[in-house]
Amino acid sequence: MMANNEYLNRGESVLWTSMGIASFISFWYLMVTLDLVPKQFLPYPHEVLSKFIHLLTEPFSGFTLWTHIASSFLRFSYGFLLAALIGIPLGLLMALSKYANQLITPFFESIRFVAPIAWVPFAALWFGTGIGGPILVIFMGAFPPVLINTYRGAIHVDKKYLEAARMLGAKKFRLMAEVLFPASIPSIIAGLRISAGLGWQSLVGAELIVASSGVGYMMVKGQASIQTDIVMSGMIAIGLIGLLIDVLLRQAEKFAIHYKEI
Amino acid sequence: MQGYGNGKLYQHILQSVILVTSGFLVSSSLGILLGILMGANKKIEAFVNPIFLTLRPIPPLAWIPLAIVWLGLGNSAKIMVIYVAAFVPAVINSFTGVRSIEAPQREAAAMLGIGRLAYYREVLIPGALPFIFTGLRLSLQASWTTLVAAELVGATLGLGSILNQAAQDINPAMILVGMISVAISGWLMTQLLAKAESYAMPWRA
Amino acid sequence: MADIVFDSVQRSFKQGGKEFLAVGDINFTVKDKEFVAIVGPSGCGKTTCLRMVAGLEIPTKGRILVGDKEVKGPGPDRAVVFQQFALFPWKTVQQNIQFGLKSMSMSIAEKQEKTARLVSLMGLDGYEQAYPHQLSGGMQQRVAIARAYVLEPEVLLMDEPFGALDAQTRVVMQEELVRLARKNPKTVLFITHSVEEAVYLADRVVVMSRRPGLIRDVIEIKPIREKEGWDTHSRIEDVMDLNSFVKLRSQIWKLLREQSLGVDH
Amino acid sequence: MADIVFDSVQRSFKQGGKEFLAVGDINFTVKDKEFVAIVGPSGCGKTTCLRMVAGLEIPTKGRILVGDKEVKGPGPDRAVVFQQFALFPWKTVQQNIQFGLKSMSMSIAEKQEKTARLVSLMGLDGYEQAYPHQLSGGMQQRVAIARAYVLEPEVLLMDEPFGALDAQTRVVMQEELVRLARKNPKTVLFITHSVEEAVYLADRVVVMSRRPGLIRDVIEIKPIREKEGWDTHSRIEDVMDLNSFVKLRSQIWKLLREQSLGVDH
Amino acid sequence: QAKPALTEIKISYQPALYWALPFFVATEKNWWGELGLKPEFSTFPAGVPQIAASASKSWDVGGTGSVPAVLGYVRFGIKTIGISNDESAGNALLATPKAAEAFATNPQSLKGQTIVLTGNSTGDYAVQSCLKKYGLAKTDVVIKNMGQGEIISAMSSGNADFGGLWAPNIYTLEEKAGAKVICSGKDGGAFVPGALIVRGDYAKENPQNVAKFLAVYMRAWKWMNANKPQAIVMMKKFYELGGVSISEASMKKEFDTRPNYDLATELKIMDSTKGLSQADVWFNSIAAFMQSTGAIQTVPAANEYLTDEFLKMVNADKKLREFANNSK
Ligand SMILES: Nc1ncnc2c1ncn2[C@@H]1O[C@H](COP(=O)(O)OP(=O)(O)OP(=O)(O)O)[C@@H](O)[C@H]1O
Ligand SMILES: Nc1ncnc2c1ncn2[C@@H]1O[C@H](COP(=O)(O)OP(=O)(O)OP(=O)(O)O)[C@@H](O)[C@H]1O
Ligand SMILES: O=[N+]([O-])[O-]
Ligand SMILES: [Mg+2]
Ligand SMILES: [Mg+2]
C-alpha cells in the first residue's frame, strides 16, 4: 500500500538492476534476430561492443576513439565551465537584485527555446575554426539550466539567513558568496547536472563546425559511410561519459553539502 | 512577408507548433507515467534506471538515422527525435515529485486506510504535480530546442527547416527571424502551460 | 474494548552504522477509554512508542496489542494526529476530512452528514472549500483532528498536536479537547512537552526517562481531578491556579528535571 | 546610552491588495540596559515591532531611535536572535560566531580571542568545528546567542528565541539568560508567547492587543522581583511557585485572554 | 646551404573528397616546402561552414564546391582562382535497385516520386539537370531536403527511392546498399566545376603565395595522372583518414570519371579575353540555379569573382611553371 516505503535490500536491488539490463539486451538481440530492424542499422550488441573495443586502438577518421573522446571532452569542459562561471554569479545576482532580474529575465526566457545547434552558423562566422565556435554552441546548451537553477535556488533561500547576515553587517558581495551561494548549492548542482547533459548533447552540433576530430564528428562520419557499429560506439561513448560526468557532479554535491546529515 | 523555404512564415510556424505539440504530448504522457511508476516502486526504478541513465546523455541528433530507418521521412520520425529529448525531463521530474511527497502525508494516508489505486489518485499524483509541471516546462523547452534536429529529417516546412536552410544559405537575417519565431512560440506555449498549471493545482493559488 | 497493551516492547535503530536502543523494554497498558499523556525529555522515544501503536513502526522485540489484536500495520481504527498536521495541501478542508471515509462502506449521504457534523463541531463552518494553506495553524490543527475523529476510531493517538500553536490558541484547543474527551471518551495516547497540558488533560501521566526510553513513573491524575472538582472550572487558568494542580505539576517537573541534567551537553 | 524609542510608530502592509495596519501608533521607550518582554496574541505585530528596531523593516509612519540615532537599516550595533536560530548550516560553530566580526576592523588575534571567549561563556568548548546540524536545539540556540553577543551590541533583540526548544532545555536556557542579563545588563527587547518566561526574565512586560497592534498595558516586574528576592532562587520552578509570581502571571494571562476571544475564527 | 624561412599559408578543404587529394599528396611529397610554403590545414564537414569561417580569417586559400564558391563571393568576397576538377560525374541522382529498374524501362516513372537531396548544393544542381533532361518540372516530383548522411540512411533503409548525392557518398551507397546512378550531372548536361578559392584580402596582400599554392596543386594532379597505382594508394590512405572506406574499383572510377586539368588547360578554361570564359559560363549557370532556390537574390557576374590572374602568374614565372608541370 505505501509503495514509497518499499525498501530493496542489496540483493534485490542487484537482481532488479541486472534484470533490467538483461531484458534490454535481449530485446536488442531479438530485434536484430527477427529482422525487425535491418542489421545494417542495428548490429548485434556484441558486434557493437567489439567495434567499440576495436576503435579504442584502431584509428577511425584519423584518430582512435580515445582521441575523439579527449578532444570532445576538452571542448565540452571549456563550454561547460564558462556556462558555470557566468551562470552561477549571474543567477545569484538576479536573486539579489530586482534590476538585474528584470533586465535579464525576458531576454533569457525566450532565448532558451532556441536550439543550441541553431547557433552553429554564428559560431562559424564569429570564431571560424577556433575553439570559440564549439564553446559557443555548448555554452548555449549548458547556460540556461545553470542560470535558472541558481536563480530559483537562490530566491528560495530562506530569508532568515539573509536577514541574519545583514544583521551581522554583511554587504552585497558577502551575501552572495557566503549566504546565497552555499545555501543554493543543491539547486545549483541539479542545474549543473542538467547543463552537463545538454552541453554534452550540443557537442555533436558543435562538432559539425570543426570536422577533424571528436565523438560527434566520428558519428557523423560513421553515418555517412553506413557503419552503424561506429555510430553506436559513439552513442555508447557519449552515454558512458555523460553518466560519468553525472556521477562526478553528484559526488561534488555530496562533498559540497558535507555539513548536512546524509 | 515574402515566403522563404517553400512557405510563408505562418505556415512554417504552424508546422513546427504541430510537431512540437505532438512530440511534447507523447513524451510527457509516457514520461510522467514512467516517472511515477519509478517513483512509486523501487523495483521498477532499479529495473529501468541503468538503461535510462545511459541512454539519457545521447543527443537527439544521434537518433536521427535510427528514426529514419524505423519511421521513414514523415512526421513520425521527427516526433520521435523530439520525443527522445523531451522524455527525459518528464521522467526525472515526475520521479522526483513522487519521492518528494513527505512521510507525514504518506503516513496520514496509510493511517486513514486508503487503497492502492486511491493512493495513486489521491496522494501520489496530486502530491507530485508541482514537480510534474516543472518537468513539463523543461520538456516543452526540450521539444523546441530539438526542432532543428528533428527537421533535419527531410522537412519541407517548419521553423527548424528555415533555420537549417538559412544556415545553408549563410543568411543571418533569416536565422534571426527563425530564432525569434521559435523564441516567441516557445514563450507563448509556456504561458498556456502556466494556465493549465494553475487550473490543475487550485490549492497553489 | 480498545485498550492498548505494550508487551515488553523494544525498538532499536541503526544510526551511523551502530544499532542503538531507542525504546527499551516497555510494559504498560492504556485502559479502554482512558486518556494517557506521555512526557519526557526530547529524544527519549515518545514518538517512537506512538508510531508503534499506529503501526507505522514495528517493535524490534515484544508486541503491541490494541483490543486484544496485535498491531501489524496502520489502519483507521487507530487515528493519528501528528505534530505536523500532515494535511493534504492539495485537498480542501472538506476533502481532507472525508479522505478516510472514502474506503468505508457507507452511503454518500451518511459520509456527507458525518463530515458536516465534524466541520461544525470543530468550528470550521464556512471553511469547507478552503485549502489548508489558507488557514491559520490553529484551524489546520482542528482539521487534522476532525479528519481523525470522523473515522470514529476506538483509539486516538496524538503527538504534540498543539506544539505548533501559539499560547492563546493552544488553551482554546486544550479546553475544546477536554470537553470532547469528557463528553465522548475514547482511548487516547497523547504526547506533549508541556507538563501543564499533560496534567490538565490526562487521566494518567507517564514520565519517560532518557535513552533508552523507559517508563520512569506513572502519575494518577483522575482521582485528584475528580476529588477537587477541576471540571467545574471551564477555564484552564482557573484550574492552573488550584493548589492541587500546582502540586501535581511540580511533582512531575521534578521528575523531569532529574532526567534533564546534562541535557544537550 | 542605548535606549530604544518608539516615536508614534505605525506600520501597514498590503495583503490581498488592501492596506491594513499591522502596528498602530506605538509610543514607548525601552530604557538603557532594561530588559523588556513583549507578549500578545498571534499576529498582533510583535515581530514587526522588533524587526523595525532591527532595521529589517521600516515604519510607515513615525520613527524609531536607538541611542538618539534614527534607525535606517540593519547593523551590528543591534544584534538579533531569531526564533528559528538562523545559523548558517554550511558554517561551523566557530565560523558562525565569527561571521559578524569579519566585517569589523580588528586584528585577527583579537577576533580569535573574542570568539574563544564566547565559545566558553556559552559552554560550547569542544564544539568549535561542529556544524549546526550536529548540535541539539539548545546548543544551536546558544551558538545563535553567542553570534549576537560577540559583536558586543548595545541592544539585543530576541524573537521567541526559545520557542523551538523542548520544555526542559528551555528552562535551562532561561536560567542562563537570566544569569547573563543580571551579570552584564544590556538593553533587551524580548518577544515570547510564554507568560511565565516573560515574568521570569523581564524588568517590564508589555502586553499588546490584537490588530492593529497597540500597547494594551505595561506591567512592572522589577520592583516586585527585587522586593520578593526572586533572584535568590536559582531554579525557575522555585520562582514559579512563589505567590508573587503566580499573581503577576495570572494578571497578564487575564489581559491576554481578553484579546484572544475569537482567535483564528 | 641555409634553408630560407617558410611562409605560413592556411589551407582549407573537406576531408575525403577527391579534389582535396592533391593537398594530401603534396604534403606527403613535401612539395610545399620546395616553394617556401608552410601549409596549415583546416578541414570542414561541408562547404558552408568552410566559407563562413573565412569571416574570421580562419584560412587563406583552399578548395570547395562551386555552390559554396559562389555563396562565398556573394557573402564574403571570396575569389575563385582556378578549377579543381570536373565534378559533373561526381554529382548524381541515385535510385534504389528496384526503382532503378523501373526507371530504366520507363524514365517517366520518376514522375510523382519523392527525391531526397541536399538543397542548394551541387547535388541538387545535378538532379535539376537530370529532371530537365527527362522533361520533368521541379513540381513533377516531391523534393525533400536533408543532409547527405540522412539521405544515405533513408535510401539504404528503403525509406526513399531516389536521392541526390555526391562522391564519395555515391560509392558508399552503391557499394553498401546496391543503389544505382541513374543520371549524373554529366548525363544531365550540367557542368559542375570544383573551385580553388582565396580570401579576397589575402589575394591582395600575398599574390605570390596564391600563385605558389596553385603551382603545388597542379603538380599534384600531374604526378597522380602519371603514377596512378601510387596515387590510388595515397587516395586510400587519405580517404581512410576522413573516415571513408570504398573499394579499389570505386577509387579507380574517381580518376576515370572526374577529369582534372593541367596548367595550360586551366588557362584556357579561365581565359576571358574573348568575352565570357568557359568557366564564367559554368559558374553563371550555377549562380542562376542558386538564385532559383532562393539562396541568393541576384546573380553576380562570374567575371567579378573568377580570375585567372594567379594562373597567369604561375605561367609567367619560369620556376613556378616548371614546378606545376612537373610530373615527378
Ligand atoms: N527512523 C529512525 N532512524 C534512526 N533513529 C531514529 C528514527 N526515529 C527515531 N530515531 C531516534 O530514536 C530516538 C527516539 O526518537 P523519538 O522521535 O521517539 O523521540 P521523542 O521522545 O519523540 O523526542 P521529541 O520529544 O524530540 O519529539 C531518538 O534518538 C531518535 O534520533
Ligand atoms: N511582510 C509582510 N507582508 C504582509 N503582511 C505582513 C508582513 N509581515 C507581517 N505581516 C502581517 O502583520 C501582522 C503582524 O505580524 P507579526 O509577525 O508582527 O505578528 P506577531 O505578533 O509576531 O505574531 P506571532 O506571535 O504569530 O509571531 C500579521 O497579520 C501578519 O500577517
Ligand atoms: O562542397 N559542397 O558541400 O558542395
Ligand atoms: Mg517526538
Ligand atoms: Mg512573531
Side-chain angles (χ1 to χ4, degrees), chain C residues 9 18 50 72 91 195 243:
Chain C
V9 171
K18 279 189 299 190
L50 185 133
K72 296 283 186 192
K91 291 184 177 286
V195 177
N243 233 318

Side-chain angles (χ1 to χ4, degrees), chain C residues 121-194:
Chain C
L121 183 67
M122 287 295 163
L124 292 165
D125 308 80
Y127 288 93
E128 292 88 342
Q129 301 314 322
Y131 285 100
H133 78 94
Q134 299 170 312
L135 307 182
S136 74
M139 293 170 82
Q140 290 187 40
Q141 188 57 300
R142 273 178 272 152
V143 177
I145 294 174
R147 187 176 65 176
Y149 264 72
V150 77
L151 302 175
E152 293 169 10
E154 305 217 48
V155 171
L156 203 56
L157 308 168
M158 303 175 102
D159 189 356
E160 299 184 45
F162 308 142
L165 304 183
D166 70 89
Q168 290 88 329
T169 311
R170 190 167 180 151
V171 297
V172 174
M173 292 300 299
Q174 286 164 345
E175 290 168 1
E176 275 181 30
L177 186 60
V178 159
R179 225 167 289 135
L180 274 167
R182 306 286 180 264
K183 200 163 68 182
N184 178 15
K186 296 194 177 294
T187 311
V188 180
L189 197 57
F190 186 100
I191 296 177
T192 178
H193 268 132
S194 158

Side-chain angles (χ1 to χ4, degrees), chain D residues 106-127:
Chain D
M106 59 179 78
S107 72
I108 293 179
E110 202 174 343
K111 289 179 186 176
Q112 297 287 9
E113 187 248 297
K114 274 183 200 289
T115 312
R117 198 152 40 95
L118 264 138
V119 163
S120 65
L121 182 68
M122 287 293 163
L124 291 165
D125 309 81
Y127 288 92

Side-chain angles (χ1 to χ4, degrees), chain A residues 38 40-41 60-63 121 124-130 207-212 217 220-227, chain E residues 15-16 42-45 49 52-53 55-56 58 76 149-150 152-153 156-157 169 172-173 176-177 240-245:
Chain A
Q40 216 171 9
F41 294 101
F60 171 75
S61 245
F63 302 99
L125 280 176
W126 295 337
F127 300 104
T129 49
E207 287 176 348
L208 296 174
I209 311 171
V210 185
S212 50
Y217 166 72
V220 170
K221 282 287 160 187
Q223 188 198 348
S225 55
I226 326 189
Q227 288 181 273
Chain E
S42 51
T43 59
F44 295 85
S56 57
S58 288
F76 308 106
E150 283 77 44
I152 291 173
S153 296
S156 52
S157 63
N169 303 322
T172 304
L173 206 58
K176 301 207 173 158
E240 269 174 7
L241 274 178
V244 171
S245 49

Side-chain angles (χ1 to χ4, degrees), chain E residues 10 50-51 53-62 76-81 197-206 210 310:
Chain E
K10 291 190 271 184
Q50 181 185 5
I51 59 165
S54 77
S56 57
K57 303 196 175 171
S58 288
W59 51 263
D60 304 320
V61 293
F76 308 106
I78 290 170
K79 295 276 166 90
T80 294
I81 51 173
I197 51 175
V198 64
R199 274 197 298 116
D201 40 357
Y202 186 84
K204 274 202 204 95
E205 289 154 20
N206 302 285
V210 179
F310 302 96

Side-chain angles (χ1 to χ4, degrees), chain B residues 109-127:
Chain B
M111 162 294 262
L112 294 165
I114 193 173
R116 184 180 269 274
L117 251 184
Y119 180 62
Y120 273 79
R121 193 181 59 234
E122 311 273 345
V123 180
L124 276 192
I125 294 175

Side-chain angles (χ1 to χ4, degrees), chain C residues 2-15:
Chain C
D3 50 354
I4 304 170
V5 180
F6 289 81
D7 177 10
S8 310
V9 171
Q10 293 193 4
R11 167 78 216 198
S12 48
F13 287 110
K14 271 224 175 70
Q15 241 178 24

